[in-house]
Each structure stands twice: as C-alpha cells, then as structure tokens.
C-alpha cells in the first residue's frame, strides 16, 4: 500500500505541469486585406466583435482600395509585421490575408502572376515572423448574371488556393462559401447586405456579421483543434447559413 502510493507520487506531481503545458493560448487575430475585410464595409470588425472568445483579441488592418502591392507600399503590411512581434509571446498570432478585388483591376499595376507571388511572399513573411498565415479567397461580390452570382474573382480564388497548397499553409475558401450562400438566398435577399443601395461589393453591419460567421465557421471546420476553443459559436446563425436561408 505504502509503496504503491509512493510510486504514484511522481506522476501526480507531474500532472499539473503537463496540463498547463497543453492549455491553448488565446489567439491574436491580425486581419490583412482590402475593403471587403476593412472596418466600415467589410467582415473584419464583425469577426473580431462577434466570433472570438474572451481572452483572444485582434486588430483589423485591412484597407479600402488595397491590393497586395499597395498594402505593402502604404506601410500597412509593416504594421501587421510589427504586431506579430508585439503579440507572439502572449498569443498565438494568426494573420488572415484576403486580397483580389483591387488587384484584378486593370489600373492596379498587379498582374495575376504578381498577385500570386505577392500572396506567397506575405504568407511566408508571417511564418518567418512567428505568426501563422491563413490565406483567404476573396469574398464574392453579390452581382447576379442570368440568375447566378457572377463569379468574377475565380482567377484570384484559384491562385490563392494554389499558393496555400504549394506552401502548405492554412487557407479557407471564402469565395466558394460566400458564392454558395449568395446563390442559395438569391439576388433580392443578398441585396439586404449591400453597404449602400446598389453596392454589391461592400457589406453593411449585418452583412458583416453574416459573412464573418461564414469565415469563422470555415476556420473552425477546417482547423477545429486550433480554433474551436477560442471561438464563440452562433448555432442559430450558422444553421440558417448552412441551410441556404437568408439570415
Ligand atoms: C468584376 O466585377 C466588378 C464589379 O461588378 C467589375 O467592375 C469588374 O470589371 C469585373 N471584372 C471582371 C474581370 O469581370
Ligand atoms: C481569368 O483569366 C483568363 C486568362 O487570363 C481570362 O481569359 C479570364 O477572362 C479571367 N477571368 C476572370 C473572371 O477574370
Ligand atoms: C447570432 O445569430 C442570431 C440569429 O441569426 C442573430 O440575431 C444574432 O445577432 C447573432 N449574434 C451574434 C453575436 O452574432
């Protein structure tokens, strides 16, 4: 009896340390992207305010009008990098990278090949700095053509996925999920998310909540061990979206 208790002692002492070691660090979210992620018109702020659990935090660095090139030229990427350094000891730092809406414009000075290279460079720089990049395919526009969403970000989507797969990095296919949802609810219902009348690119505050939920659900579904514990679920909203009903 006495002997067996003594034998158990080292194990018992070791247990608390092991549990502490395994505890999941909270996440610091850094959002990089264009206006479809940015404050006032994108999903980013709603993501930070409605989907992340207590203890986690983040900053929405996305900028209206930004391409993969102008985001760096304008110094915003530097700010993301600085934040990785600042928060990586206390948090697991994840950086979402979602571009394409402006890169695709003929005036952007960014070819599809450069867009691809720029995304890959950004993702690798995040990893080198001690963060974890998440490549996000561009949020769909809600413009319909012949009864279906006009999928005019398909090249950018394909390239974003190509980079993530080639570099073995995290990704979510937001373009596919948002296109599926918008097709399911139809043009009239989708217009309820318009930032302003006729603006089918940017989202109003409720549109932000809905698309942020899609982002969050994709993250949890793809990487449950990393994100489930640090996410606040909204079962009602997720079920409505999944059923293809207008939220
Ligand atoms: C994509 O859609 C936007 C907004 O409707 C439009 O300005 C742009 O010309 C389209 N681009 C392509 C490649 O179809
Ligand atoms: C995708 O790229 C191809 C090849 O450059 C081009 O012909 C096509 O118009 C592009 N599609 C869209 C939707 O931008
Ligand atoms: C959760 O979903 C419900 C129903 O769709 C919605 O009314 C509510 O605003 C959502 N709450 C958050 C925090 O997203």
């Amino acid at each position: 009896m006495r002997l067996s208790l003594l034998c158990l002692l080292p194990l018992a002492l070791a247990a608390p340390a092991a549990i502490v070691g395994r505890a999941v660090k909270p996440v610091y979210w850094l959002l990089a992207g264009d206006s479809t992620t940015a404050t006032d018109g994108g999903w980013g702020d709603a993501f930070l305010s409605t989907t992340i659990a207590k203890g986690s935090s983040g900053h929405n660095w996305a900028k209206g009008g930004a391409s993969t090139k102008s985001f760096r030229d304008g110094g915003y990427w530097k700010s993301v990098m600085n934040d990785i350094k600042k928060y990586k000891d206390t948090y697991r730092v994840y950086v979402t990278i979602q571009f394409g809406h402006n890169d695709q414009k003929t005036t952007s000075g960014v070819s599809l090949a450069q867009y691809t290279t720029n995304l890959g460079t950004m993702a690798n720089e995040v990893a080198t700095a001690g963060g974890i990049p998440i490549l996000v395919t561009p949020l769909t526009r809600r413009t319909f053509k012949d009864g279906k969403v006009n999928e005019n970000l398909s090249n950018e989507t394909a390239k974003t996925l190509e980079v993530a797969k080639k570099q073995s990095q995290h990704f979510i296919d937001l373009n596919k999920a948002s296109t599926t949802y918008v097709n399911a609810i139809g043009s009239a219902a989708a217009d309820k998310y318009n930032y302003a009348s006729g603006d089918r690119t940017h989202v109003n505050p409720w549109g932000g909540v809905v698309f942020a939920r899609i982002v969050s659900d994709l993250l949890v579904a793809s990487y449950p061990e990393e994100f489930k514990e640090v996410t606040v679920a909204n079962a009602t909203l997720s079920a409505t979206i999944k059923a293809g009903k207008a939220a």
Side-chain angles (χ1 to χ4, degrees):
M1 181 67 167
R2 224 169 119 220
L3 192 67
S4 64
L5 266 178
L6 277 176
C7 287
L8 283 172
L9 204 55
L11 251 182
L13 285 176
I19 289 163
V20 169
R22 270 208 319 270
V24 179
K25 259 199 217 173
V27 169
Y28 202 91
W29 292 97
L30 296 170
L31 313 182
D34 56 34
S35 58
T36 62
T37 303
T39 300
D40 195 23
W43 55 263
D45 282 17
F47 179 85
L48 297 177
S49 65
T50 68
T51 78
I52 69 177
K54 201 159 168 266
S56 289
S57 189
H59 188 84
N60 188 358
W61 282 109
K63 282 289 152 203
S67 68
T68 52
K69 181 177 188 299
S70 72
F71 196 77
R72 183 183 293 275
D73 293 349
Y76 306 113
W77 186 243
K78 185 95 203 292
S79 302
V80 171
M81 288 291 124
N82 287 340
D83 270 1
I84 296 174
K85 287 191 201 89
K86 192 165 154 190
Y87 294 109
K88 71 178 183 184
D89 292 336
T90 321
Y91 298 88
R92 287 180 282 146
V93 180
Y94 286 88
V95 181
T96 63
I97 304 170
Q98 189 222 288
F99 291 92
H101 285 258
N102 302 304
D103 299 74
Q104 88 169 170
K105 292 177 182 160
T106 50
T107 49
S108 70
V110 186
S111 67
L112 191 60
Q114 283 161 341
Y115 168 77
T116 311
T117 305
N118 291 348
L119 283 180
T121 304
M122 284 172 142
N124 283 340
E125 285 175 2
V126 168
T128 303
I132 301 169
I134 303 172
L135 288 151
V136 180
T137 62
L139 182 73
T140 188
R141 291 194 180 88
R142 299 173 302 282
T143 311
F144 280 66
K145 199 174 131 191
D146 305 326
K148 286 270 167 204
V149 169
N150 177 17
E151 294 183 31
N152 86 347
L153 289 149
S154 52
N155 287 337
E156 291 72 19
T157 294
K159 291 299 179 188
T160 305
L161 295 175
E162 190 183 295
V163 171
K165 282 167 190 169
K166 189 168 154 209
Q167 298 186 173
S168 302
Q169 283 154 341
H170 287 45
F171 69 91
I172 53 170
D173 196 350
L174 176 61
N175 185 266
K176 184 178 174 187
S178 57
T179 300
T180 301
Y181 175 64
V182 170
N183 270 329
I185 65 172
S187 181
D191 275 353
K192 301 232 162 81
Y193 305 133
N194 290 354
Y195 178 79
S197 177
D199 179 345
R200 299 189 170 89
T201 298
H202 306 107
V203 291
N204 58 26
W206 176 242
V209 171
V210 172
F211 290 106
R213 182 53 56 186
I214 292 179
V215 169
S216 180
D217 287 350
L218 288 171
L219 287 168
V220 173
S222 300
Y223 310 100
E225 279 160 24
E226 285 163 90
F227 299 131
K228 202 166 193 311
E229 280 183 54
V230 293
T231 297
V232 175
N234 187 336
T236 317
L237 184 53
S238 293
T240 305
I241 294 167
K242 204 172 168 199
K245 301 213 178 90

